[in-house]
Amino acid sequence: MKFPRFADLILFENDDVIVVNKPPFISSLDERGEGSSEISMLRLAKAYWDDAQICHRLDKETSGALIFAKNPEAYRSVSMQFEKRKVKKVYHAVIDGTHTFDNLLVDLPILNVGKGSVTISRQEGKRAETWFQSLKYYKHYTLVECRPVTGRMHQIRIHLATQRASIAGDEMYKGEPVFLSKIKRKYHLGKDQEELPIMKRFALHAYEVTFRINPETEVTIHAPYPKDFETLLKLLDKFDS
């Protein structure tokens, strides 16, 4: 895998913070127990700016807006905004099936059961809330906007799964990969060829983030879709609308 130049990923930068458009398949932090050879967003950030600290995380497969602080004061400020739920986050996801979500609130507690997986638990889970709004309908899929209020692990993914609307390609939560053969009529695969999914990951992108860079100034940073997400939507527009 070819690693991007950190500078090329920057969407916004001032004296205090850097917001980048995180590519898919790169961990936010160094992954434990895998040796220290694997590159992470934090490492790329530190190579660019020595004192960089990461303010929140995105799952390895998730692309989109990720905030770094360039000094301890900025780190404290942004972290407090996350803690007090003052950061507005907007994600886009392609989900299995046609679903009409009109400002649907999913308010189901999430329990982290370890080994990178979570479950819904009304007894032991921590409060988790996400708002969902359908943006575009296809024959077999829906493009949805997801606005998490809390920031639990896998929150959007499991909340969608509870609505029988798993994210396309999210096999951990029963999401099916999208194959061209499913949406394109008269699709022929050559002899002995194996069909690969259009996206090699689940279709979730951190589309926008809004936070304060100082007490007076709020910024909204928009992260354009990466190539794979854009390709999926183009093919759905062409063959599944």
Side-chain angles (χ1 to χ4, degrees):
M1 180 174 163
K2 197 164 137 284
F3 286 107
R5 279 181 63 230
F6 188 81
D8 295 340
L9 304 174
I10 295 173
L11 300 167
F12 174 86
E13 181 178 8
N14 67 4
D15 292 342
D16 296 313
V17 295
I18 308 167
V19 184
V20 297
N21 194 353
K22 173 192 167 308
F25 307 116
I26 301 181
S27 298
S28 295
L29 298 165
D30 288 352
E31 294 184 316
R32 289 191 292 273
E34 288 200 13
S36 56
S37 60
E38 187 148 337
I39 201 86
S40 69
M41 289 307 297
L42 182 58
R43 271 188 203 209
L44 292 173
K46 280 185 177 297
Y48 174 82
W49 187 269
D50 284 345
D51 296 330
Q53 281 183 283
I54 194 164
C55 298
H56 59 122
R57 296 177 198 190
L58 293 175
D59 289 341
K60 189 173 183 175
E61 287 186 36
T62 306
S63 51
L66 187 62
I67 308 169
F68 292 91
K70 292 167 85 171
N71 54 61
E73 295 74 31
Y75 177 71
R76 268 197 298 277
S77 163
V78 178
S79 298
M80 284 308 289
Q81 290 178 64
F82 271 105
E83 212 169 296
K84 292 180 173 168
R85 298 177 187 164
K86 300 278 191 220
V87 181
K88 294 189 201 82
K89 298 161 287 182
V90 177
Y91 290 74
H92 283 185
V94 175
I95 56 173
D96 291 340
T98 304
H99 300 270
T100 310
F101 296 145
D102 186 10
N103 248 350
L104 167 77
L105 173 65
V106 177
D107 181 356
L108 289 168
I110 291 172
L111 178 67
N112 188 335
V113 289
K115 293 207 171 109
S117 77
V118 301
T119 185
I120 299 292
S121 168
R122 292 180 193 277
Q123 285 74 38
E124 299 169 78
K126 288 185 175 169
R127 184 86 188 262
E129 300 166 65
T130 319
W131 292 91
F132 295 104
Q133 177 71 42
S134 298
L135 296 177
K136 192 162 189 184
Y137 303 101
Y138 298 98
K139 284 184 192 136
H140 301 94
Y141 301 95
T142 312
L143 174 66
V144 289
E145 178 183 277
C146 321
R147 299 190 309 280
V149 180
T150 46
R152 308 286 171 220
M153 180 174 159
H154 296 187
Q155 178 174 317
I156 293 170
R157 297 164 62 189
I158 197 164
H159 274 177
L160 281 167
T162 66
Q163 306 306 301
R164 303 209 171 140
S166 298
I167 297 175
D170 192 359
E171 293 179 6
M172 184 179 251
Y173 298 106
K174 299 190 164 58
E176 305 274 329
V178 186
F179 290 101
L180 195 53
S181 57
K182 181 174 173 180
I183 58 172
K184 188 180 178 187
R185 289 172 64 188
K186 301 194 172 79
Y187 175 81
H188 292 299
L189 196 64
K191 194 168 175 272
D192 300 329
Q193 272 186 314
E194 187 192 354
E195 189 184 1
L196 295 171
I198 295 168
M199 263 179 95
K200 294 181 173 67
R201 62 175 178 117
F202 53 77
L204 180 64
H205 175 70
Y207 185 74
E208 208 172 75
V209 67
T210 302
F211 66 106
R212 289 198 174 277
I213 48 171
N214 59 47
E216 297 78 49
T217 319
E218 189 176 73
V219 291
T220 296
I221 314 294
H222 162 68
Y225 293 143
K227 208 170 166 186
D228 61 353
F229 202 98
E230 206 175 331
T231 300
L232 174 61
L233 289 177
K234 274 186 186 151
L235 290 168
L236 291 176
D237 282 338
K238 191 171 178 184
F239 299 117
D240 203 48
S241 52

